[in-house]
Amino acid sequence: MSDELREAIATRIGASGPMSLAEYMAECLLHPRHGYYARREPFGAGGDFVTAPEISQLFGEIVGAFMIHVWRQAGRPAPFALAEAGPGRGTLMADMLRTARLDPEFRAAARVVLIEASERLRGVQRARLGDDGADAQWVDTIAALPGLPTFLVANEFFDALPIRQFVNTAGGWRERMVGLDDRGALHFVAGPGGIDPALLPPGHGDAPEGAIFETSPAREAAAAELAAHIARHGGLALVFDYGHLQPGIGDTFQAVRDHAYADPLAAPGRADLTSHVDFAALARAARQAGAHVPAAMTQGAFLLASGMAERAGALGAGKSGPEQAAIVAAVERLCGEDEGGMGALFKVMGIAHPRLGRPIVPFELPA
Ligand code: SAH
């Protein structure tokens, strides 16, 4: 099997030296011809990983009901952008739009906007939305969102944005980079020293040799841009991803292929590359850009407080035993906090207009 992306990366490293993980991730995921999203069908049982909206329609239904609720709370602005960043197969938006039929005024005011970098996935999303997406609009970046009050969801979008890593060596902190070993294989190397301490976490001075610290200027910039858009035009963004609420030291850079962890350097463009999202860093960036950001919570707590168990009961009513068992299993997978469940590993954060009516339930308690 030809490995053009690996060859292209190796040639570039040979010519100009090691590349940062950020550059490596961007090449592997987004290369227009050989990148992961351009050529793999990552999602679902036959792909590399399963995401929440692909587990059950309940996920998109609960998110859709939440969006209707906050849109009412914001004073029912019309028109508004009903947006999604990184829509994958389009399942979440399709399930939200079906739920939106419950409120014809909401549906009529919604302009559907999808932020998607991959041409191939845009086609998949268009087909999935069908008539519901007849006047949907696709844009490349958050910056290209229309100047309307915006109600946006992003599921597993931020984890795909590039990260940088720093490693503590005997010679001080250095950027962790991708280089070539003497047999021409890709491997991790420590780049030049002289790292700006502002890039490093508080307390990095006490970290042991070999400690790795991650940061993602790309994710923080995306959160700031989204927050600035919402602070200017109104609305709310809901960000779901796996990650941690407190920053920490550690290497979470990972590759997933065929539902199993793989070596991130082994097959560029053939495995999904992600890392855990630092929600504290996103919240800081979004607040600095002028948004109101309530404390993030776990996905399980959010979905259950938003009525997922009740919705599951309604969906299961009158269905066969095996169908009901499948619905219960989906709720456990989405909300369960034990191993195999996404409920605790996944977090959700709201980025709201500062004058959106409070409390924002379920992030904030009802008065
Ligand atoms: N939300 C979907 C898919 C998550 S995968 C789900 O839950 O199933 C990540 C998605 O983000 C893909 O659609 C990918 O093409 C898109 N994406 C990744 N990086 C992007 C970028 N820099 N700009 C726009 N879209 C991007």
Side-chain angles (χ1 to χ4, degrees), residues 6-338:
R6 206 208 78 84
E7 292 312 315
I9 289 172
T11 305
R12 221 167 97 192
I13 294 172
S16 34
M19 61 170 70
S20 71
L21 290 198
E23 263 182 285
Y24 177 75
M25 264 180 102
E27 281 294 305
C28 290
L29 292 177
L30 296 175
H31 189 284
R33 270 185 306 134
H34 309 303
Y36 180 71
Y37 289 117
R39 68 178 186 185
R40 295 273 300 188
E41 183 53 61
F43 317 107
D48 291 315
F49 55 90
V50 180
T51 57
E54 304 295 339
I55 289 172
S56 168
Q57 70 186 72
L58 288 167
F59 185 77
E61 289 173 356
I62 294 295
V63 173
F66 174 87
M67 290 299 181
I68 294 173
H69 165 80
V70 283
W71 171 78
R72 290 177 181 165
Q73 198 170 331
R76 303 173 185 252
F80 72 93
L82 182 62
E84 182 173 358
R89 289 209 288 204
T91 307
L92 172 52
M93 183 56 85
D95 291 337
M96 283 171 67
L97 289 172
R98 197 180 53 254
T99 303
R101 293 188 198 143
L102 296 173
D103 184 338
E105 187 191 338
F106 175 88
R107 183 62 190 91
R111 304 285 171 271
V112 176
V113 186
L114 299 131
I115 303 171
E116 176 56 68
S118 157
E119 271 309 321
R120 188 185 69 77
L121 285 175
R122 286 183 181 203
V124 172
Q125 292 152 17
R126 193 176 285 114
R128 180 71 181 76
L129 294 184
D131 288 345
D132 259 344
D135 24 290
Q137 176 193 348
W138 276 262
V139 296
D140 283 326
T141 58
I142 292 167
L145 283 169
L148 294 173
T150 299
F151 294 82
L152 176 144
V153 63
N155 186 59
E156 296 206 38
F157 171 73
F158 279 85
D159 68 64
L161 301 181
I163 58 164
R164 295 174 69 180
Q165 285 189 337
F166 300 96
V167 55
N168 194 15
T169 69
W173 286 88
R174 298 179 175 219
E175 181 147 11
R176 195 164 182 237
M177 304 181 92
V178 180
L180 293 173
D181 68 12
D182 32 5
R183 296 184 336 271
L186 299 178
H187 77 151
F188 289 112
V189 295
I195 300 296
D196 177 359
L199 283 168
L200 298 170
H204 65 269
D206 305 326
E209 199 176 314
I212 289 177
F213 166 69
E214 294 177 350
T215 166
S216 179
R219 292 177 190 169
E220 289 168 36
E225 193 144 46
L226 195 50
H229 182 84
I230 283 172
R232 177 149 177 230
H233 298 287
L236 178 142
L238 205 51
V239 174
F240 291 89
D241 227 310
Y242 45 94
H244 37 86
L245 297 175
Q246 300 303 327
I249 290 208
D251 171 20
T252 73
F253 185 45
Q254 65 184 32
V256 171
R257 192 175 178 188
D258 299 330
H259 300 271
Y261 292 109
D263 173 353
L265 303 187
R270 294 174 204 275
D272 188 38
L273 297 182
T274 66
S275 81
H276 286 207
V277 170
D278 177 353
F279 278 89
L282 295 195
R284 202 179 318 113
R287 287 188 185 119
Q288 275 169 6
H292 168 59
V293 183
M297 60 199 291
T298 64
Q299 172 172 301
F302 176 90
L303 294 174
L304 291 172
S306 302
M308 180 164 279
E310 294 77 1
R311 177 66 198 126
L315 185 63
K319 298 244 166 79
S320 70
E323 283 170 314
Q324 290 178 341
I327 293 169
V328 171
V331 173
E332 274 169 10
R333 182 108 185 258
L334 291 169
C335 303
E337 305 221 328
D338 48 353

